[in-house]
Structure formats: structure tokens, C-alpha cells
Amino acid sequence: MNGIITAQPDLCKRCYGCIRECPAKAILVVNGQASIVQERCIACGHCIKVCTQGAKKITPGISDDFEKALNSGLAIAIVAPSFAASWHSNYGKVPSALRKLGFIKVIEAAFGADLISPLYAKELETSEVKPIISSSCPAVCNYIQKYRPELVPNLAKIVSPMGAAARYIRSLYGDTIHIAFIGPCTAKKSEILNGGLNGIINSVFTFKEIKNIISDAGINIDEVEEGPFDEPHAYMGKTYPLAGGLLKTAELSGDILEKEIIVVEGKSKTLMMLDEIAHNQINAKFVDVLFCEGCISGPGIDSSLNYYSRREKIIEYVKDSLNEVDKKVWQTDMYNSRDLDLTTEFRNTDQRRQIPDEETLERILKSINKSSEGDRLNCGACGYFTCREFAITVGKELAEKEMCLPYLIDELQNAYESLRTTQEQLHSAEKLASIGQLAAGIAHEINNPLGTIMLYASLISRQIDKLENSAGCKDDVSVIMNEAHRCKNIVANLLNFARQGKLALNSFDIFNMVADILKKLKPQPFFQNIKVELNLDSDDPIIEADKEQIEQVLLNLMMNAAEAMENSIEKNLEINISDISSEKIKIVVSDTGCGIEKENYKNIFTPFFTTKKIGKGTGLGMAIAYGIIKMHHGEITFESTVGKGSAFTVTLYKHISLSNSLIN
Ligand code: ADP
Ligand code: MG
């Protein structure tokens, strides 16, 4: 079923005004777009009233055979009494305009109100149910059937004025005519689908819709002569669209000191009243409830007047037209309807969803950063009055977490931060890759001449051995050879950084490796006074990698950590080895050293970047580590706080062959 009200997702601007307004919690937001859960909707139309974007549409009330009936002189219009507020400047012309459109008769729905009023008076006298709830407002009936089914027995089993008028007309004119109801109400459209009016009323239009049909037919209502409604004429039923109209028509008391009879209008008061009745707090015998502030505030009223001016218009119309009613004819019409069945039935069509338990609610609240009472702003931006109410709706799967504005802002902030970090990492990886290319090119070029230098230097060295008094020369040549060797090392490191080295894979225990490195480092003078802690949280610390290269990475990390703690009062080196998954392991090396300045973050893995004194740092340790870890398809990252310390994390696949299959 298409439903009486439908959402237009492309027009929705996510203000959530409709959610705030919807008494049935029938609006579901999916991926930020509001849609209507039709089986929950009570068709009250409050969402239409608040949607400034026109993102809620009323399904047109035109049934297929409406136009045919109109053109063949078979259509009869029943007009709700609030028409006077809708056509406030020319309501006297409405009957003629509708007849000009093609309706053969234009009849006041208020006559239906006259018909049912005595039934209310009777029900009040005889019913054992307390309180009786009026059933003239279809939105109220829908709400009770779906959300207060325990009150279904309280609903008066009497048709609405529209239904009563239609049954009367149908009894006069038979099955061939097409009855169209015209009013301010969207819920009336749902009423003809159920409530025993199926086949009695054929179409339902709002005032706005019929105005469009009139103007589309080229009829200018201002140019039409005034004219009366067709018979049967209505009497006091004309007051129905005003609060208390039913009581007046049924000649029931409207005294404010009268506790037995209560009139309630408007959404929030209606909901409050139904709640009170459900909790047995109300002693009244009869409650007249209207979901809107009188039918003159219905969503299809289409009037530029405010509430009070509309009310005045109705009073003006009632007073004027009552004078013209021939009471005798009216009484005859009423008498002729004595055998009409004006009863109806209501059903329990429960749509309530289970309220999530406390544990689930707390979990939902926590997931939107609202663990404590202090975090719960109850700002209402989501469309719900409190964070708790919102969480309940999320738990009922009728709302999504992203509707919470503070949560969304936090999430956006996080997404922005992570995007920025990723961007920086990408930028730095790109930079390192191009440095790597350059370094590899230079290294290859230098490697050959270096080899030649070393070869000839060793030849010279051997020739010098044969000479007498050659000690000085020999020392000079050995300087050449040492320096060339140093260059060769640098070149090899650069090739490692450029990931152009080769991997000699072995399986080994990474925990044992770290323990061995520490054993070698501890006796060194620069390692004195450092408190070392090594932790393992893995049942399987065996990895497949290039043992020598990984050893170099870990050694570089530990040396840097020790150097960073040179001037620290507390010197703690902690190495934690733990599983990330069955496939990945991480080694975190943290220190309580000087930390890294933010501006240096981007340079840490750049070859030759060092903050150490000349001769102390080469700036290659981290570049080499980066290259080696990348060759292993792993990750190396760090976190640091200046003055507190740094933590470098190396992530490795336990089986490098697996990493290849995952990566390639
Ligand atoms: P080097 O140690 O020769 O300076 P590295 O490549 O090993 O070169 O390190 C580069 C730079 O990174 C260091 O000079 C230092 O500024 C910074 N660094 C690396 N590790 C740490 C650490 N644990 N604490 C503080 N700074 C560090
Ligand atoms: Mg270093």
C-alpha cells in the first residue's frame, strides 16, 4: 500500500521537524532520509504541517472512476463544515462552484453530525464503558487502534459525521453514484479504507486538492454565483469542527465545572488524555477528543487565516445558515434516517514495539557518547525530546544514531582527523617513495665506482706491502679502504630504504630475538640506568621474516629510545609484543625520552634526517627500518609526546607469504 502520506526523500533537508511532530513515531530515517512506515502512520498529517520543504505528500484522493462519474452526472459531494474557514472570502459560492465542476449534489457533512449526535447522547446514558471516547476524529481512532489498543472498547461504536452523511446519501441514491468527501483532514482518507466505509465513500479530497481541481477545470470561484447546499440541510452539526461542537449538537453539557464530560483538542493534550485514561486517572463519562485543534486546524484546511479568525468564520457561517434552515424539513430528514445503521467497529491493530531493556539502552547511549547523565544534553536536535527517548527509538530500530547532532559532529571531527592523518601518511609515503627512487638510482651509480675504488685500494695495499718504509702509505690506503667501506654500507642501507634489498626469510621467535638484543645492549654504557620491561601477549610469537633485517629494525628502535632518554630522570624502556590477529603481530617499543616535536613527524623516516649532534646521528636508522618493514609488507608508526616519551609500533604478518596473497 502506498499510504496516505508519503515522503519525498529528495526534498528532505534532515531538519527532523517531522519526527518531533509525529505522535506515532512512524517516521524512519535511513541514511539520513526520512521515510514513513505506513503501518505505523495514523495519517494525522502533522508531519505535513511542519515540513517547510514539501517533503511529505498527501496521496491524491482521486479514485479511478471519479472523473467518469463527474462527467456522467453521477458524483455527489459531501463537504465538511470547516469549508467556511478554507474559502473564507467566498464560502457562499462553494456549493455552486462544485456543481459547476460536475457534482449533481453538494451536501453538508454536518448533516451526518446531526445524525450521530443523538446516538452519542444515548450511548452516554446506556454504556457501561467509562469513559466513552468520541470516534469522530479518524486520527484519534487510528492512534488508539495502533498504540492504545487497550482503549479500543472505549471508542464509541458510532460512525463519523462523514460516514453517517455518506450512508444516508447512499441509502437515497443507491450504488451507482460516486460519493466524494471534501474536508480539511488527511486521516479521513484512511477512514474510507477501513471503518466500514469501504464502498460507501469513493473519494476523499482535502480542500486544497479540490481547489486545484476547480481551478484546473478553468472555474474561477469568484465569478460563480452564490448558492445553497442541496438537501438534506444540516442543523447544529455545523458546529462540529469547533472544539465542543459535538457536545453542542448532542445537547450535552459543556459546563467547565462539569467533570463528566471533557473536551480535548490538539496533539499533545490528546496524547496526555489517552495516557491518563489508560492509567485510570480519568473519572469522566465522556471524552470528546480531536487530534487537531478543531477540524479547522486540519492539515488540508488551506486557509491563510489564523486559528481564531477561522473559528470566527465558522461561527459566522453557522449563525447565517442556521436562520435559513427549515427546521421541519430537517426534522423530517432526521426521521427518515431512523433505520440507518450508523454503527461501526474498531479493531486492535497494535503497532507498539518492545521497549529495549536497560542494558541495551545504556549500550546505545554509550555508542552515541552519552554514557553519563552529564553527557545527555537533551537538545532535541534529533527530533526526540530526550536522549533516552531517542535511544529507545534507536533500540526499536526506528531511528539511526547519526540523527544525534552532537554525536554526528564528534564523528565528523574524528573522520576529519583520520582523513587528515591518512592524507599526511599518504603524502609522507609518497615523499619517501620518491626519495627512495632517487636514493636507489644514486646508490646503484655509486656502487660500481665504489667497488672499483675498493678493488684498486686493496691492490695498492698489497703492492705497498712489498715496498720498504711503506708504513705511512699503508695507513693512508687503509683510510681510503675504510671510508669506501663506510660508503658501501651507506649505499646498502639506502638500497634497503628504497626496498630494493632482498629478503632472506626464516621462521624465528620474535620474543627471543628482542630478549637477545636486550641482553647485548644492557652491558653497554649508554644503556646503564635504563629500566627495561619486556612483555609478551601471544601464544605464537613465531614469525616468518628476514631475521637479520628485523633485528636491525628493533636494534635501531631500541638505540633511538635509549638515546632519547639520555637526559630523562625516569628511564623506562618497555617492549610489548602482542597478537593483533591470528595473522598479525605487533611490537611496541616505548620510552620515557624527550619525545618528538610535531613539526618533525613528517621527517622521521626520511633518510639523513637527524636531530642529533654531527657525528652522533646519521639519520638513517628510521629510514632503514621503514624500508625493511615495508619490504615485509608491514607497518611502522609512532606516537609521541614532547617531554614524556615516544612509542614506535611495528606490525608484521606472521607469514609473509600470506601478506603477499592479501596484498597482491
Ligand atoms: P638518528 O638516530 O641517527 O638521528 P634515526 O633515523 O634513527 O636517526 O632517527 C631520526 C630522528 O628521529 C632522530 O634524530 C630523532 O630526532 C627522532 N627519533 C627517532 N626515534 C626517537 C625516539 N625514540 N625518541 C625521540 N626521537 C626519536
Ligand atoms: Mg638512530
Side-chain angles (χ1 to χ4, degrees), residues 35-60:
S35 63
I36 294 172
V37 185
Q38 292 302 341
E39 62 273 21
R40 296 183 63 80
C41 178
I42 59 166
C44 65
H46 280 75
C47 57
I48 300 168
K49 288 195 218 171
V50 294
C51 184
T52 56
Q53 302 301 306
K56 305 285 178 302
K57 287 264 181 301
I58 306 171
T59 304

Side-chain angles (χ1 to χ4, degrees), residues 374-402:
D375 300 328
R376 297 172 196 172
L377 306 178
N378 300 331
C379 68
C382 57
Y384 296 91
F385 290 110
T386 63
C387 297
R388 198 181 153 80
E389 197 189 333
F390 173 61
I392 291 174
T393 319
V394 172
K396 288 178 174 176
E397 298 181 351
L398 288 168
E400 54 186 22
K401 289 193 292 187
E402 286 69 20

Side-chain angles (χ1 to χ4, degrees), residues 453-470:
I453 292 170
M454 287 172 81
L455 175 71
Y456 279 89
S458 81
L459 287 177
I460 292 170
S461 171
R462 259 183 261 160
Q463 282 166 15
I464 286 172
D465 283 344
K466 295 174 196 158
L467 299 175
E468 284 173 27
N469 296 329
S470 60

Side-chain angles (χ1 to χ4, degrees), residues 526-590:
F526 62 86
F527 232 75
Q528 301 309 304
N529 306 324
I530 294 181
K531 222 173 93 194
V532 181
E533 196 182 317
L534 171 60
N535 302 311
L536 175 68
D537 183 14
S538 165
D539 297 332
D540 176 29
I542 312 291
I543 66 162
E544 186 192 30
D546 186 315
K547 193 172 176 194
E548 253 176 54
Q549 291 196 14
I550 297 295
E551 189 171 346
Q552 191 180 355
V553 170
L554 297 173
L555 186 69
N556 290 356
L557 289 176
M558 289 184 232
M559 295 278 285
N560 277 349
E563 284 163 8
M565 292 191 288
E566 206 176 343
N567 299 318
S568 300
I569 302 164
E570 290 254 338
K571 299 182 187 211
N572 298 329
L573 172 66
E574 197 177 311
I575 300 151
N576 292 310
I577 301 171
S578 58
D579 281 341
I580 293 178
S581 65
S582 59
E583 286 149 14
K584 279 182 169 180
I585 197 158
K586 71 174 179 186
I587 306 110
V588 183
V589 179
S590 18

Side-chain angles (χ1 to χ4, degrees), residues 556-565 589-591 593-597 600 603-613 616-625 640 645-648:
N556 290 356
L557 289 176
M558 289 184 232
M559 295 278 285
N560 277 349
E563 284 163 8
M565 292 191 288
V589 179
S590 18
D591 61 59
C594 57
I596 301 171
E597 299 282 350
N600 290 337
N603 293 322
I604 295 300
F605 300 114
T606 309
F608 305 113
F609 172 78
T610 180
T611 53
K612 291 165 195 169
K613 284 188 209 128
K616 196 158 189 206
T618 60
L620 276 173
M622 288 300 94
I624 293 165
S640 186
S646 313
F648 279 75

Side-chain angles (χ1 to χ4, degrees), residues 397-472:
E397 298 181 351
L398 288 168
E400 54 186 22
K401 289 193 292 187
E402 286 69 20
M403 290 162 65
C404 171
L405 194 60
Y407 166 75
L408 193 67
I409 292 171
D410 283 353
E411 283 295 286
L412 280 178
Q413 189 71 33
N414 291 344
Y416 175 72
E417 286 298 327
S418 107
L419 203 70
R420 217 177 52 174
T421 315
T422 315
Q423 213 170 20
E424 275 168 12
Q425 279 169 355
L426 210 70
H427 187 249
S428 143
E430 264 172 20
K431 188 187 79 180
L432 292 176
S434 56
I435 295 173
Q437 262 178 352
L438 182 73
I442 295 172
H444 279 301
E445 287 303 316
I446 290 177
N447 238 351
N448 291 343
L450 264 183
T452 317
I453 292 170
M454 287 172 81
L455 175 71
Y456 279 89
S458 81
L459 287 177
I460 292 170
S461 171
R462 259 183 261 160
Q463 282 166 15
I464 286 172
D465 283 344
K466 295 174 196 158
L467 299 175
E468 284 173 27
N469 296 329
S470 60

